[in-house]
Amino acid sequence: MIWQLTLFAVAVVPAVASAEIVLESGQLRLAIEEDGTVKSLASIPDGIEYLAPGPPRPLAVVYRGGRAVPLAEGKYAAVTDRWQWRGGLQFAATRVSRRGDTLTIEFGDADVTAHLGVRCTEEYTALELLSVEGGAVDRIELVRLKVRKLPRFGQWANVARDDRFGICLCAGNLQTNAEVWRQDDAIQMTAAAEAAVGFRGATAVLFGCGATKEEFLDRMAKVERDFQLPAGAKSRRSPLQRLSYFWASRPTPENIEEYILWAKRGGFRVLLFSYTAFSKGPGHFEWNESYPNGMADLTRVTDAIRRAGLQPGLHIHYSKAGKRDPYVTPAPDDRLHKVRTFTLAADVEPDVSTIPVLEDPAGCTLDDGRRLLKLGKELVEYQAFAAQPPYEFRGCRRGQLDSLAGRHVEGSEAALLDVDTWPAFIRLDQETDVQDEVAGRIAEIYRRTGPYAMVYFDGAEDVHEPFWHHVASAQHRVFRLLDPPPAVCESAHYTHLSWHMITRSNAYDVVAPSEGMKDFCRLMPCPTAAARELDFSRIQFGWLGRFGRSKAGCAGPDVFEYIASRAAAWDCPISLHASLEEIGANPRADDCLAAIKTWEDARLGGHLSDADREILKNVAPADAHYVSCYQQRDTYQRSREGRGLTDAQRRILADRREHHLLLDEQGRYELVQIEPVPLSDDAIKGYLFRRKGSPEDTYVLAWAAEGQVALRLPMAEDRLVVMRPFGRKEPVRRSGGAYEIVVGPRVYLVFRGTSPDAVREILRRST
């Protein structure tokens, strides 16, 4: 029987049931009919059935033809973590039998038989693909389950749960592609192997557990130990997960103390720096001129960070090499990834600018900086190509990146190199050992200058197909060499297996103040924080940048307070990326960092109640879901252009509530809702608020956009109190029925016995 592929489901022809096969762990019972359909998926403690209602569905499916395509749309579709196999033919299991610890699945219409090793323990059921016999296939889904719709759905960890019970279908190794997605009124779970990666050894692990985070992490920790996966469950229990970080732009042994000072002013507990601070580029990570003593200089930097009571973090590019790296110049390494290969149609002399090929070059990139061919050990930049016979690359500039122009004979290879979308880099071929070489260099730096609290795996999306495999595989080839393993890892992109290494997510490249950092926070990180909570994980609300003065404007303390407040709602960290020059260029740098520090100290010190956090979650939609940070940027840009917004996103942007956290007269943290008020032609920014303990008074938090501004407030009554900081009064001057004060850094104005409307009128008439 052959079934036509659809987007989400396989049409199933009911078969007559006969003997059933039961795979049972301590808490979950899977029953399979002899005809290969799933009969039941039930929790053992209470006997509740979790299989979605409907006609019988096959346990396993094989695919002949087709390919994985991204479910996302738009510019960043290729870097989504949601893929679906499309095209070709599907063949469902037609018979299942078990002898001892071997499960045999027959796909009669495909003339294929799969043998799986069965392992049932108290904690889980594991199915390992031992062999696939018969006709050729491209993909096999070892386990395919349609679970009834449950309210809490973790798409990254592949877990769905209700108030009492959770079900997880995860991958037991890097060869296995486990996925879960909503399908109609149910949840589809699959664990699959693909021929492009290899069938033998692929392992699906199925388990049930209690609904709490601790119960899930306990069970997953056991799975990780038994299948020798990185300890993602243990890492998520580390207190380091809560710590925010200051990303020092260009730290050196000479200026690291200045960065430490600013990090402490912002309440940051981790100081992160990039490889770009100490090396010329990724690949060989050669030392740059700022680190003339190499490893000794970097050790001075990390030692200084630890002496200051902070934790060091390291940002890396690991899956690509810089264009000036020895992997590329003067003689390109054969292990750089090739997007396409062509055959020379004739001899090519060193001085010609046209390269004839036998294959059609249609579809080759025409992006600036990415039009790079490799002919032997020569690099050639082309300007255009002919997509009609005779096929050729035209306008070729020979001997690029210091390579030597040479003679190339007919029949030899011309390869289009995989130049990154950020064309300073060329991606590595993950099917070779070059990724391990690069990982070894990173590990040596890590070992000799560590330990590090965190590592940021940047450029996680910069790998080739099969994407689901190489994203996690490249990360793992580095991670497994890091000793001791970092408790915190972040990346902009990750797939299911990455859950065991990448513990926090959602770093997005910075949004300029004039583009609406608050709206971006409302629209993107907040819903994603809610979604990642369902995976028992955090995001970090960053990277926050554009700290200094620029054409786009200069972010003030209200921007950083807003983002820190929303991060606190989910007990998530934030990150700030800044150089010393940017800090010096921000006239309110101290206020910005002080605002962050207040929230950090309160969050980490346990001074925010559950009620406080619920108030701060006002921007999260009920139907939280995850998209990659690249898709977030794409969605946000479309929203700024007035297109592509959902109703939920419109509701988010309509909610403009903001909050301020202050230390009251007794040194206790107090959360208040604030609203902006106009002041003196925007030379002064102000926010008005009330306090429960002083219902007759109105407060204004104000600061000058830059420098100091003299402010005259028309008030006949003696009702104004000025405090800087809160609780410490400053003298005020009265003249001609008005108060005259100087506003620079943040100051609190207390209008005793004055209503908010009256205060707004006073501020409207201020000069």
Side-chain angles (χ1 to χ4, degrees):
M1 163 170 53
I2 300 176
W3 291 333
Q4 184 63 38
L5 176 66
T6 61
L7 178 60
F8 292 113
V10 177
V12 181
V13 178
V16 178
S18 52
E20 70 176 34
I21 296 167
V22 175
L23 304 178
E24 188 172 287
S25 59
Q27 291 194 309
L28 190 64
R29 182 181 188 271
L30 173 64
I32 310 162
E33 298 284 12
E34 189 180 39
D35 65 0
T37 58
V38 180
K39 179 180 181 181
S40 173
L41 182 68
S43 63
I44 291 176
D46 50 21
I48 294 178
E49 178 61 55
Y50 282 92
L51 200 66
R57 303 178 185 92
L59 171 71
V61 177
V62 295
Y63 298 72
R64 185 168 289 153
R67 62 188 296 269
V69 296
L71 289 181
E73 298 178 355
K75 179 179 179 182
Y76 296 105
V79 293
T80 178
D81 69 341
R82 299 296 302 115
W83 293 68
Q84 189 73 40
W85 195 273
R86 292 180 182 170
L89 297 174
Q90 295 187 34
F91 302 85
T94 54
R95 186 173 185 275
V96 177
S97 60
R98 180 177 179 180
R99 173 175 290 185
D101 292 334
T102 300
L103 189 73
T104 299
I105 305 177
E106 298 176 26
F107 305 87
D109 298 300
D111 189 27
V112 171
T113 300
H115 300 284
L116 290 79
V118 178
R119 180 179 178 185
C120 294
T121 72
E122 181 65 24
E123 291 82 13
Y124 56 80
T125 294
L127 296 174
E128 179 185 355
L129 186 55
L130 304 177
S131 64
V132 179
E133 303 167 353
V137 292
D138 297 287
R139 173 181 166 97
I140 176 171
E141 290 178 356
L142 317 177
V143 178
R144 183 184 182 99
L145 300 173
K146 194 168 187 178
V147 178
R148 59 187 178 82
K149 188 176 182 180
L150 300 177
R152 289 189 285 280
F153 169 58
Q155 196 175 49
W156 187 15
N158 283 20
V159 60
R161 56 198 170 104
D162 55 23
D163 292 334
R164 293 182 292 184
F165 196 70
I167 295 172
C168 178
L169 177 63
C170 62
N173 53 32
L174 289 163
Q175 289 174 251
T176 314
N177 184 17
E179 294 180 293
V180 57
W181 65 92
R182 289 188 180 93
Q183 179 183 348
D184 302 324
D185 290 327
I187 294 171
Q188 184 74 57
M189 295 181 169
T190 63
E194 294 179 13
V197 175
F199 287 144
R200 183 177 177 84
T203 302
V205 183
L206 176 67
F207 64 82
C209 63
T212 67
K213 176 180 180 179
E214 292 307 311
E215 289 172 300
F216 175 85
L217 292 182
D218 284 346
R219 188 57 47 87
M220 184 60 84
K222 173 63 174 173
V223 171
E224 289 174 332
R225 287 192 297 270
D226 286 2
F227 292 90
Q228 299 181 331
L229 297 170
K234 178 182 177 181
S235 294
R236 278 166 174 77
R237 287 172 159 147
S238 169
L240 295 176
Q241 298 297 338
R242 303 178 67 207
L243 302 187
S244 296
Y245 62 88
F246 182 89
W247 182 351
S249 184
R250 290 281 180 177
T252 67
E254 290 72 34
N255 67 22
I256 186 60
E257 297 295 342
E258 292 182 76
Y259 279 112
I260 289 170
L261 173 65
W262 288 109
K264 287 191 167 185
R265 287 188 183 179
F268 296 99
R269 274 65 170 180
V270 175
L271 196 155
L272 177 136
F273 54 84
S274 176
Y275 73 91
T276 57
F278 59 81
S279 78
K280 295 178 181 178
H284 284 76
F285 295 95
E286 298 175 304
W287 301 101
N288 64 26
E289 64 279 359
S290 295
Y291 286 72
N293 300 308
M295 204 76 75
D297 282 341
L298 184 55
T299 300
R300 285 173 58 195
V301 169
T302 56
D303 284 350
I305 294 170
R306 284 186 284 266
R307 278 196 309 270
L310 304 179
Q311 301 274 0
L314 178 62
H315 164 274
I316 55 172
H317 279 128
Y318 58 99
S319 59
K320 49 194 179 185
K323 280 187 175 178
R324 288 293 171 183
D325 187 79
Y327 279 126
V328 178
T329 181
D333 196 289
D334 291 335
R335 297 168 298 174
L336 299 175
H337 184 244
K338 305 164 185 175
V339 179
R340 294 174 63 181
T341 58
F342 301 89
T343 306
L344 293 184
D347 292 350
V348 175
E349 300 299 330
D351 57 348
V352 301
S353 60
T354 299
I355 296 177
V357 292
L358 295 179
E359 298 82 9
D360 186 354
C364 287
T365 182
L366 291 174
D367 294 347
D368 288 343
R370 301 183 67 204
R371 304 186 297 267
L372 200 62
L373 298 174
K374 178 180 179 294
L375 281 68
K377 294 301 181 181
E378 181 187 355
L379 293 174
V380 177
E381 182 182 46
Y382 63 89
Q383 296 301 312
F385 53 76
Q388 298 293 331
Y391 302 123
E392 60 187 15
F393 290 93
R394 297 170 175 170
C396 295
R397 298 170 60 192
R398 307 292 298 277
Q400 294 299 291
L401 297 176
D402 299 327
S403 63
L404 294 177
R407 185 175 185 274
H408 307 281
V409 300
E410 179 181 353
S412 59
E413 180 184 270
L416 176 64
L417 288 181
D418 193 357
V419 179
D420 193 59
T421 50
W422 181 1
F425 311 103
I426 299 177
R427 298 171 183 173
L428 307 177
D429 189 339
Q430 297 296 326
E431 304 293 344
T432 70
D433 61 356
V434 67
Q435 181 65 78
D436 297 310
E437 284 184 7
V438 173
R441 294 189 188 94
I442 294 170
E444 179 70 4
I445 293 168
Y446 180 96
R447 181 184 64 82
R448 293 181 60 182
T449 63
Y452 288 84
M454 70 166 287
V455 172
Y456 191 97
F457 286 78
D458 203 352
E461 69 280 6
D462 297 327
V463 293
H464 53 86
E465 294 184 4
F467 195 74
W468 67 265
H469 173 70
H470 285 312
V471 168
S473 176
Q475 291 166 343
H476 185 255
R477 291 163 84 170
V478 178
F479 184 91
R480 66 185 178 182
L481 300 181
L482 302 182
D483 185 24
V488 180
C489 289
E490 292 181 358
S491 68
H493 189 72
Y494 37 84
T495 51
H496 167 65
L497 247 297
S498 301
W499 188 94
H500 305 287
M501 299 168 282
I502 307 303
T503 57
R504 294 197 312 224
S505 73
N506 212 60
Y508 52 82
D509 290 336
V510 295
V511 179
S514 65
E515 295 174 351
M517 291 174 78
K518 293 179 185 178
D519 277 350
F520 189 88
C521 182
R522 292 180 181 104
L523 194 61
M524 296 304 170
C526 288
T528 308
R532 284 288 74 91
E533 194 172 49
L534 300 175
D535 292 301
F536 313 105
S537 304
R538 287 181 171 86
I539 74 166
Q540 59 94 351
F541 281 61
W543 303 315
L544 307 180
R546 311 288 167 85
F547 193 80
R549 191 190 310 274
S550 69
K551 293 180 180 178
C554 189
D558 59 310
V559 171
F560 295 100
E561 174 152 44
Y562 182 80
I563 297 171
S565 71
R566 268 49 203 174
W570 287 275
D571 193 15
C572 287
I574 70 171
S575 64
L576 174 64
H577 186 195
S579 66
L580 294 176
E581 293 75 19
E582 287 178 303
I583 294 171
N586 188 326
R588 296 280 83 91
D590 283 306
D591 281 345
C592 293
L593 292 170
I596 295 172
K597 187 177 189 303
T598 299
W599 282 96
E600 283 297 285
D601 291 348
R603 182 176 65 85
L604 296 175
H607 299 294
L608 295 172
S609 67
D610 290 341
D612 290 335
R613 284 189 286 272
E614 287 305 312
I615 289 171
L616 298 170
K617 287 181 180 179
N618 65 285
V619 299
D623 187 23
H625 66 285
Y626 166 73
V627 293
S628 76
C629 74
Y630 300 94
Q631 293 169 267
Q632 290 182 28
R633 294 181 66 189
D634 198 29
T635 301
Y636 178 65
Q637 183 58 41
R638 287 187 282 112
S639 76
R640 289 187 55 76
E641 296 168 359
R643 58 188 179 89
L645 280 180
T646 66
D647 290 341
Q649 289 168 334
R650 290 188 182 92
R651 288 194 298 271
I652 289 172
L653 293 177
D655 191 333
R656 314 302 293 178
R657 283 178 287 171
E658 299 186 40
H659 298 82
H660 173 61
L661 191 62
L662 58 87
L663 283 167
D664 68 13
E665 296 86 346
Q666 287 75 43
R668 296 171 302 195
Y669 290 95
E670 183 178 338
L671 182 66
V672 294
Q673 186 171 321
I674 60 177
E675 63 176 87
V677 288
L679 263 165
S680 193
D681 297 327
D682 293 330
I684 299 175
K685 290 211 64 169
Y687 284 84
L688 180 148
F689 63 92
R690 309 290 296 278
R691 299 175 66 200
K692 290 181 180 179
S694 304
E696 303 301 319
D697 303 332
T698 300
Y699 296 75
V700 172
L701 173 63
W703 64 90
E706 58 181 294
Q708 292 187 325
V709 178
L711 181 65
R712 183 178 175 85
L713 297 168
M715 293 178 63
E717 303 87 355
D718 187 10
R719 292 186 176 183
L720 183 67
V721 176
V722 178
M723 298 188 296
R724 191 193 338 243
F726 196 91
R728 191 177 73 189
K729 296 181 181 179
E730 287 194 348
V732 291
R733 176 186 174 188
R734 286 183 58 82
S735 175
Y739 284 98
E740 294 179 355
I741 61 175
V742 175
V743 179
R746 291 196 301 176
V747 63
Y748 293 93
L749 309 179
V750 187
F751 296 83
R752 299 295 189 195
T754 310
S755 70
D757 285 343
V759 170
R760 292 187 188 96
E761 179 60 21
I762 292 168
L763 297 178
R764 188 186 67 80
R765 294 189 290 114
S766 66
T767 57

